[in-house]
Amino acid sequence: GGREVDQNAKFWNWTYSTLARNDCPAIVAKVLHETGAERINYVGWSRGTNQAFIAMQDPALKAYFERHINIATMIAPVTYSKHTSSLSLQSLAAARAFDLLHRVWPYGFLSTDADYKPLNWLVQTVCLATGGAVCELVKEQMFGPSPYDDMEVISMGFFSNFPAGTAVKDVQHFMQGVGSGEARFQDFDYGSRDNLAEYGTAAPPRFNLTAIQTPLAFFRGENDVYTEIRDHTKMVQELAPGVLKYDKTFRGFSHCTWAGGNAASWQMWWPDFLRVLKRDWRAS
């Protein structure tokens, strides 16, 4: 914290691919060390899935994950995002809003209490004043609609802590994959000239999903704005044969039903989730 960090461009010069190559293996290593286990289950939701996908295909890391992960269970698995159904995300991507923001503010996005607490207070206040109608609208744009979502749980759990901070560059990276053009799951795009300096190629490297050999399980919501069926299908088709052990779409689920759903929703997916985790996939 502190202003020296808040406005330190070097500190905020990272995206989810940076987290994938550094934080993701460090977390696995920490759990292995603390438990003494040889293999563990990886469970990721949303951004925790796309970081794992990148790590598991990385030539320097893939053997480590194959050796130590029984199965990577991906809840709301995110890779391609071209066809998101969120009009808000489509509009922000089309306007290149975060490209412009990064030029003038290459630091944190809602990264301090002074940044996000007033916005959080405003969201909470408006939600209460409108009987939850605004919260529902915001939730549908951010996560997708669902008859199973419990708005009281989501308001207390999600909107009491969200929006929260990340790097502007991190959001910019995600937005590069949304909307027009070819579907892309790739490293950060600096533009052809700067890509040559960064990667040695005019285009950023694509992430090679076919290289993943760690067993995978996918739990996808039908109404999830981040896992639209065309993007999900493209991801599945790029995986090597036999890697995907479980792939189920849950009708009516949004991006946040997994943690913010009502009791009925938990009965629909939790038993399958436990069965996936309890099985030894390396022996099968």
Side-chain angles (χ1 to χ4, degrees), residues 4 7 13 36 88 95 125 130 165 211 227 229 233 242 265 270:
E4 69 279 4
Q7 295 188 19
N13 184 29
S88 297
T125 301
T130 60
T227 63
I229 188 59
T233 300
S265 71
W270 189 250

PDB file of all heavy atoms in Angstrom, residues 4 7 13 36 88 95 125 130 165 211 227 229 233 242 265 270:
ATOM      1  N   GLU A   4       3.417   5.487  -2.850  1.00  0.00           N
ATOM      2  CA  GLU A   4       4.564   5.096  -3.652  1.00  0.00           C
ATOM      3  C   GLU A   4       4.272   3.843  -4.475  1.00  0.00           C
ATOM      4  O   GLU A   4       4.884   3.610  -5.516  1.00  0.00           O
ATOM      5  CB  GLU A   4       5.804   4.870  -2.762  1.00  0.00           C
ATOM      6  CG  GLU A   4       5.738   3.649  -1.860  1.00  0.00           C
ATOM      7  CD  GLU A   4       4.933   3.888  -0.577  1.00  0.00           C
ATOM      8  OE1 GLU A   4       4.368   4.986  -0.422  1.00  0.00           O
ATOM      9  OE2 GLU A   4       4.870   2.962   0.246  1.00  0.00           O
ATOM     10  N   GLN A   7       1.035   4.695  -7.378  1.00  0.00           N
ATOM     11  CA  GLN A   7       1.428   5.343  -8.628  1.00  0.00           C
ATOM     12  C   GLN A   7       2.837   4.902  -9.054  1.00  0.00           C
ATOM     13  O   GLN A   7       3.656   5.697  -9.481  1.00  0.00           O
ATOM     14  CB  GLN A   7       1.330   6.859  -8.490  1.00  0.00           C
ATOM     15  CG  GLN A   7      -0.090   7.334  -8.272  1.00  0.00           C
ATOM     16  CD  GLN A   7      -0.228   8.847  -8.330  1.00  0.00           C
ATOM     17  OE1 GLN A   7       0.616   9.544  -8.863  1.00  0.00           O
ATOM     18  NE2 GLN A   7      -1.317   9.362  -7.775  1.00  0.00           N
ATOM     19  N   ASN A  13       2.757  -3.314 -13.565  1.00  0.00           N
ATOM     20  CA  ASN A  13       3.009  -3.795 -14.929  1.00  0.00           C
ATOM     21  C   ASN A  13       2.859  -5.321 -14.985  1.00  0.00           C
ATOM     22  O   ASN A  13       3.838  -6.061 -15.110  1.00  0.00           O
ATOM     23  CB  ASN A  13       4.404  -3.376 -15.384  1.00  0.00           C
ATOM     24  CG  ASN A  13       4.680  -3.779 -16.827  1.00  0.00           C
ATOM     25  OD1 ASN A  13       3.769  -3.879 -17.647  1.00  0.00           O
ATOM     26  ND2 ASN A  13       5.945  -4.026 -17.139  1.00  0.00           N
ATOM     27  N   GLY A  36       2.412 -31.818   2.712  1.00  0.00           N
ATOM     28  CA  GLY A  36       3.267 -32.977   2.532  1.00  0.00           C
ATOM     29  C   GLY A  36       2.765 -33.945   1.478  1.00  0.00           C
ATOM     30  O   GLY A  36       3.303 -35.048   1.328  1.00  0.00           O
ATOM     31  N   SER A  88     -22.314  -4.627 -21.642  1.00  0.00           N
ATOM     32  CA  SER A  88     -21.370  -3.712 -21.003  1.00  0.00           C
ATOM     33  C   SER A  88     -19.936  -4.052 -21.385  1.00  0.00           C
ATOM     34  O   SER A  88     -19.138  -3.167 -21.743  1.00  0.00           O
ATOM     35  CB  SER A  88     -21.524  -3.774 -19.481  1.00  0.00           C
ATOM     36  OG  SER A  88     -22.808  -3.341 -19.094  1.00  0.00           O
ATOM     37  N   ALA A  95     -15.041   0.313 -27.413  1.00  0.00           N
ATOM     38  CA  ALA A  95     -14.554   1.679 -27.201  1.00  0.00           C
ATOM     39  C   ALA A  95     -13.071   1.720 -26.819  1.00  0.00           C
ATOM     40  O   ALA A  95     -12.489   2.807 -26.732  1.00  0.00           O
ATOM     41  CB  ALA A  95     -15.368   2.354 -26.103  1.00  0.00           C
ATOM     42  N   THR A 125     -25.952   1.404  -1.523  1.00  0.00           N
ATOM     43  CA  THR A 125     -27.028   2.348  -1.222  1.00  0.00           C
ATOM     44  C   THR A 125     -28.109   2.312  -2.296  1.00  0.00           C
ATOM     45  O   THR A 125     -29.312   2.258  -1.996  1.00  0.00           O
ATOM     46  CB  THR A 125     -26.459   3.781  -1.106  1.00  0.00           C
ATOM     47  OG1 THR A 125     -25.479   3.814  -0.072  1.00  0.00           O
ATOM     48  CG2 THR A 125     -27.572   4.775  -0.794  1.00  0.00           C
ATOM     49  N   THR A 130     -33.536   0.765  -4.298  1.00  0.00           N
ATOM     50  CA  THR A 130     -34.355   0.266  -5.410  1.00  0.00           C
ATOM     51  C   THR A 130     -34.868  -1.147  -5.166  1.00  0.00           C
ATOM     52  O   THR A 130     -35.313  -1.824  -6.093  1.00  0.00           O
ATOM     53  CB  THR A 130     -33.543   0.281  -6.719  1.00  0.00           C
ATOM     54  OG1 THR A 130     -32.384  -0.558  -6.573  1.00  0.00           O
ATOM     55  CG2 THR A 130     -33.126   1.691  -7.079  1.00  0.00           C
ATOM     56  N   GLY A 165      -9.588  -4.252  -6.395  1.00  0.00           N
ATOM     57  CA  GLY A 165      -8.497  -3.825  -7.245  1.00  0.00           C
ATOM     58  C   GLY A 165      -7.801  -4.870  -8.081  1.00  0.00           C
ATOM     59  O   GLY A 165      -7.757  -6.039  -7.743  1.00  0.00           O
ATOM     60  N   ALA A 211      -1.535 -28.505 -25.571  1.00  0.00           N
ATOM     61  CA  ALA A 211      -0.364 -28.996 -24.842  1.00  0.00           C
ATOM     62  C   ALA A 211      -0.692 -29.459 -23.427  1.00  0.00           C
ATOM     63  O   ALA A 211       0.104 -30.153 -22.800  1.00  0.00           O
ATOM     64  CB  ALA A 211       0.707 -27.912 -24.791  1.00  0.00           C
ATOM     65  N   THR A 227     -18.492 -17.437 -20.382  1.00  0.00           N
ATOM     66  CA  THR A 227     -18.248 -18.766 -20.962  1.00  0.00           C
ATOM     67  C   THR A 227     -19.320 -19.087 -22.000  1.00  0.00           C
ATOM     68  O   THR A 227     -19.915 -20.162 -21.975  1.00  0.00           O
ATOM     69  CB  THR A 227     -18.214 -19.859 -19.878  1.00  0.00           C
ATOM     70  OG1 THR A 227     -19.505 -19.939 -19.237  1.00  0.00           O
ATOM     71  CG2 THR A 227     -17.157 -19.559 -18.829  1.00  0.00           C
ATOM     72  N   ILE A 229     -21.294 -20.344 -25.138  1.00  0.00           N
ATOM     73  CA  ILE A 229     -21.142 -21.707 -25.632  1.00  0.00           C
ATOM     74  C   ILE A 229     -20.177 -21.805 -26.814  1.00  0.00           C
ATOM     75  O   ILE A 229     -19.429 -22.780 -26.935  1.00  0.00           O
ATOM     76  CB  ILE A 229     -22.528 -22.314 -25.986  1.00  0.00           C
ATOM     77  CG1 ILE A 229     -22.400 -23.804 -26.326  1.00  0.00           C
ATOM     78  CG2 ILE A 229     -23.191 -21.536 -27.101  1.00  0.00           C
ATOM     79  CD1 ILE A 229     -21.822 -24.653 -25.226  1.00  0.00           C
ATOM     80  N   THR A 233     -17.006 -24.137 -26.542  1.00  0.00           N
ATOM     81  CA  THR A 233     -16.819 -25.228 -27.501  1.00  0.00           C
ATOM     82  C   THR A 233     -15.451 -25.155 -28.164  1.00  0.00           C
ATOM     83  O   THR A 233     -14.772 -26.178 -28.338  1.00  0.00           O
ATOM     84  CB  THR A 233     -17.929 -25.198 -28.566  1.00  0.00           C
ATOM     85  OG1 THR A 233     -19.203 -25.336 -27.925  1.00  0.00           O
ATOM     86  CG2 THR A 233     -17.752 -26.305 -29.587  1.00  0.00           C
ATOM     87  N   GLY A 242      -8.749 -37.161 -24.358  1.00  0.00           N
ATOM     88  CA  GLY A 242      -8.614 -37.835 -23.078  1.00  0.00           C
ATOM     89  C   GLY A 242      -8.302 -36.956 -21.895  1.00  0.00           C
ATOM     90  O   GLY A 242      -8.368 -37.407 -20.745  1.00  0.00           O
ATOM     91  N   SER A 265     -29.605 -24.693  -5.998  1.00  0.00           N
ATOM     92  CA  SER A 265     -28.463 -24.729  -6.922  1.00  0.00           C
ATOM     93  C   SER A 265     -27.328 -25.580  -6.370  1.00  0.00           C
ATOM     94  O   SER A 265     -26.659 -26.313  -7.110  1.00  0.00           O
ATOM     95  CB  SER A 265     -27.968 -23.310  -7.227  1.00  0.00           C
ATOM     96  OG  SER A 265     -27.315 -22.736  -6.113  1.00  0.00           O
ATOM     97  N   TRP A 270     -23.024 -29.526  -6.345  1.00  0.00           N
ATOM     98  CA  TRP A 270     -22.065 -29.880  -5.312  1.00  0.00           C
ATOM     99  C   TRP A 270     -21.775 -31.393  -5.245  1.00  0.00           C
ATOM    100  O   TRP A 270     -20.592 -31.779  -5.105  1.00  0.00           O
ATOM    101  CB  TRP A 270     -22.550 -29.366  -3.961  1.00  0.00           C
ATOM    102  CG  TRP A 270     -21.549 -29.481  -2.855  1.00  0.00           C
ATOM    103  CD1 TRP A 270     -21.589 -30.324  -1.788  1.00  0.00           C
ATOM    104  CD2 TRP A 270     -20.336 -28.728  -2.692  1.00  0.00           C
ATOM    105  NE1 TRP A 270     -20.508 -30.153  -0.969  1.00  0.00           N
ATOM    106  CE2 TRP A 270     -19.711 -29.172  -1.510  1.00  0.00           C
ATOM    107  CE3 TRP A 270     -19.719 -27.717  -3.437  1.00  0.00           C
ATOM    108  CZ2 TRP A 270     -18.507 -28.649  -1.045  1.00  0.00           C
ATOM    109  CZ3 TRP A 270     -18.517 -27.202  -2.981  1.00  0.00           C
ATOM    110  CH2 TRP A 270     -17.928 -27.659  -1.803  1.00  0.00           C
TER     111      TRP A 270
END
